[in-house]
Amino acid sequence: QVQLVESGGGLVQPGGSLRLSCAASGNLISTCDMTWYRQAPGKQRDLVATSTTAGSTTYLDSVKGRFAISRDNAKNMLYLQMSSLEPEDTAIYYCNANKTRWGLTSDYWGQGTQVTVSS
């Protein structure tokens, strides 16, 4: 069965760093566009960073220069390195895998990992 599992969240102080990981079943990492989303209570879900199979990356404006998305295809792992963290980064972070083949779209989600930035 398809499975995405996030880990690495926790409590950090403002200005600190944290690396999130997403472990994927099968070969999802190598065959899908991968995205980190985040959602805080009462707010919409935002796209944080995307890594496409074509090799391009995009970032939410507020995290540019602070966050970096990367993947390890051999290990079926996706990462989000977060630096200079701010209280506004507090949210549940979700891993997403997406691909469109033969006109059909497949979309997979992990359960999320909590990131809290506070003094």
Side-chain angles (χ1 to χ4, degrees):
Q1 62 182 26
V2 175
Q3 185 176 19
L4 296 174
V5 180
E6 301 94 334
S7 62
L11 174 64
V12 296
Q13 295 184 337
S17 299
L18 202 62
R19 187 178 77 161
L20 305 183
S21 299
C22 175
S25 61
N27 61 349
L28 289 182
I29 298 297
S30 62
T31 61
C32 295
D33 293 341
M34 302 299 301
T35 300
W36 287 99
Y37 290 85
R38 70 184 183 187
Q39 186 169 29
K43 301 182 67 176
Q44 69 176 31
R45 184 176 61 213
D46 292 326
L47 187 154
V48 178
T50 292
S51 172
T52 72
T53 56
S56 65
T57 59
T58 57
Y59 293 90
L60 180 68
D61 284 344
S62 61
V63 309
K64 289 180 179 177
R66 300 190 298 118
F67 290 11
I69 188 171
S70 62
R71 63 174 74 197
D72 186 332
N73 290 334
K75 297 181 179 180
N76 293 316
M77 295 289 291
L78 179 75
Y79 304 100
L80 183 67
Q81 180 66 51
M82 305 183 295
S83 301
S84 301
L85 285 164
E86 306 167 352
E88 292 73 21
D89 296 318
T90 296
I92 299 176
Y93 285 71
Y94 298 92
C95 177
N96 171 269
N98 179 273
K99 66 178 177 181
T100 300
R101 299 291 176 85
W102 320 116
L104 299 176
T105 297
S106 299
D107 197 56
Y108 309 100
W109 292 89
Q111 83 292 339
T113 184
Q114 177 72 49
V115 172
T116 302
V117 185
S118 176
S119 299

